[in-house]
C-alpha cells in the first residue's frame, strides 16, 4: 500500500494548529523513524497516518487511497504509546485478533514464539511486566498481518534486554516486508534500526533524510541541536 503521500497536511484541534505544512513521502520498505521533542506532534502524525484523525487541510493517501478509508486502515496496525491489554490471557489476546481478522487459529504459536511469550501464554495479560505487555501488543498487531506497522515509543521505560527483544520483533516484521513507522526518543536505537528519519519540530517537518545522513550531518538546525543534546554512551 506504499507509497504514503502526504501533501500540505494540517491538523487543528480547538482552533490550535498542531501540525502544519506537512509534506512527506514514505516509499521504501524498512523502518522510518519519527523523532522530535516532547509535544512536537509525533504521535499526532502517526494517528493521522493511520487514519484516526481527519486533517483540517491537505491530503494523506496510501497508494492513492485516502487514509481514513476503512479498507486502508485494515491493512495497517498500530501499537499506541500506552497499549491496552484485553482482560484475557496472553494467548486469549492474540486469539481475539486472529478471530477478528479471520486468520487461522494455528498461527498463535508462531506469534507467541516471536514475542518470546510462549511460557506465559496462559498468564493474564494484565499481569505481565511493562516489557512483556509491549511485546504482546506488538504480537497482537502482527497477528493482523498488516502491510504497515505503527509503533509509538515501544521501548520507552524498558531495560536494554527488553528493548532488544522488541527490536528483534521489529526485525522479524521487516523480514516479512512489513513497513515499520515508529516514534522513538532513543537515539542509539534509532541509529540501530532506522532506514530514514523524519524530524518534527513544533508541528512541522524540518527534515526527512536517510538515517546515515541524519546521524552524521543533519540538515536542519533543530535536528542538529536535538542530537547535540544526546549524551553518547561511553
Ligand atoms: N486531542 C488533543 N487536544 C488538544 N491538544 C492536543 C490533542 N492531542 C495532542 N495535542 C497537543 O498536540 C501537541 C503534540 O502532541 P503529540 O502527542 O503528538 O506529541 P509527541 O510529539 O508525541 O510528544 P511525546 O514525545 O511527549 O509523546 C501537544 O502539545 C499536545 O498537547
Ligand atoms: Mg507521543
Amino acid at each position: 500500500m506504499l507509497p504514503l503521500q502526504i501533501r500540505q497536511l494540517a491538523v487543528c484541534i480547538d482552533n490550535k494548529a498542531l501540525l502544519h505544512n506537512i509534506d512527506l513521502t514514505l516509499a521504501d520498505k524498512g523502518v522510518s523513524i519519527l523523532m522530535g521533542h516532547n509535544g512536537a506532534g509525533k504521535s499526532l502524525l502517526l494517528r493521522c497516518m493511520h487514519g484516526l484523525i481527519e486533517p483540517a487541510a491537505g491530503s494523506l493517501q496510501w497508494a492513492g487511497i485516502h487514509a481514513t478509508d476503512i479498507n486502508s486502515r485494515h491493512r495497517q496496525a498500530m501499537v499506541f504509546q500506552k497499549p491496552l491489554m484485553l482482560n484475557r490471557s496472553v494467548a486469549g489476546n492474540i486469539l481475539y485478533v486472529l478471530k477478528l481478522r479471520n486468520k487461522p487459529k494455528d498461527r498463535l504459536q508462531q506469534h507467541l514464539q516471536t514475542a518470546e511469550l510462549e511460557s506465559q501464554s496462559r498468564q493474564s495479560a494484565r499481569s505481565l511486566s511493562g516489557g512483556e505487555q509491549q511485546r504482546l501488543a506488538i504480537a497482537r498487531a502482527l497477528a493482523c498481518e498488516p502491510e504497515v506497522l505503527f509503533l509509538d515509543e515501544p521501548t520507552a521505560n524498558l531495560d536494554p534486554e527488553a528493548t532488544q527483544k522488541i527490536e528483534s520483533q521489529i526485525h522479524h516484521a521487516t523480514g516479512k516486508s512489513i513497513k515499520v513507522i515508529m516514534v522513538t526518543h532513543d537515539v542509539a536505537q534509532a541509529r540501530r534500526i532506522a532506514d530514514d528519519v523524519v524530524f518534527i519540530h513544533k508541528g512541522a517537518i524540518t527534515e526527512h533524510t536517510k538515517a546515515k545522513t541524519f546521524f552524521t550531518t543533519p540538515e536542519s538546525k533543530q535536528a542538529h541541536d536535538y542530537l547535540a543534546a544526546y549524551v553518547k554512551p561511553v
Side-chain angles (χ1 to χ4, degrees), residues 32-138:
S32 294
I33 299 253
L34 309 187
M35 299 194 88
H37 294 285
N38 292 126
K42 304 176 298 296
S43 297
L44 220 46
L45 181 56
L46 219 56
R47 283 167 192 261
C48 254
M49 288 178 181
H50 192 32
L52 297 176
I53 298 175
E54 186 73 54
S59 67
L60 201 154
Q61 296 192 329
W62 292 96
I65 303 169
H66 196 271
T68 51
D69 185 307
I70 194 74
N71 295 317
S72 124
R73 292 240 320 266
H74 277 176
R75 293 161 71 184
Q76 313 160 12
M78 179 158 178
V79 178
F80 293 92
Q81 219 164 330
K82 293 171 191 155
L84 291 175
M85 297 288 103
L86 298 175
N87 193 13
R88 297 166 185 231
S89 67
V90 169
N93 267 260
I94 296 174
L95 284 168
Y96 177 84
V97 172
L98 290 174
K99 191 171 177 205
L100 196 70
R101 293 297 175 93
N102 292 317
K103 308 290 181 200
K105 271 201 232 164
D106 60 12
R107 299 208 178 140
L108 170 66
Q109 280 312 318
Q110 176 221 313
H111 289 300
L112 286 169
Q113 196 182 347
T114 309
E116 298 184 49
L117 288 171
E118 284 163 299
S119 63
Q120 284 151 298
S121 69
R122 298 171 74 172
Q123 189 177 329
S124 148
R126 290 182 180 172
S127 70
L128 293 175
S129 73
E132 290 161 351
Q133 289 198 7
Q134 272 293 348
R135 296 211 297 282
L136 178 55
I138 295 173

Side-chain angles (χ1 to χ4, degrees), residues 159-230:
D159 71 33
E161 192 186 341
T163 297
Q164 192 273 322
K165 287 181 179 176
I166 301 271
E167 287 179 16
S168 144
Q169 273 181 302
I170 294 169
H171 187 66
H172 176 85
T174 54
K176 293 198 151 197
S177 297
I178 297 171
K179 170 77 186 177
V180 174
I181 303 176
M182 167 173 155
V183 176
T184 184
H185 284 288
D186 182 340
V187 175
Q189 173 175 67
R191 289 181 85 118
R192 283 194 295 275
I193 65 174
D195 290 294
D196 55 300
V197 180
V198 178
F199 193 82
I200 304 175
H201 184 73
K202 294 187 177 170
I205 292 176
T206 66
E207 74 175 274
H208 176 209
T209 34
K210 290 275 165 216
K212 199 172 170 197
T213 310
F214 182 84
F215 293 112
T216 51
T217 47
E219 286 167 5
S220 66
K221 179 181 181 321
Q222 293 85 355
H224 179 274
D225 292 350
Y226 181 91
L227 291 172
Y230 170 71

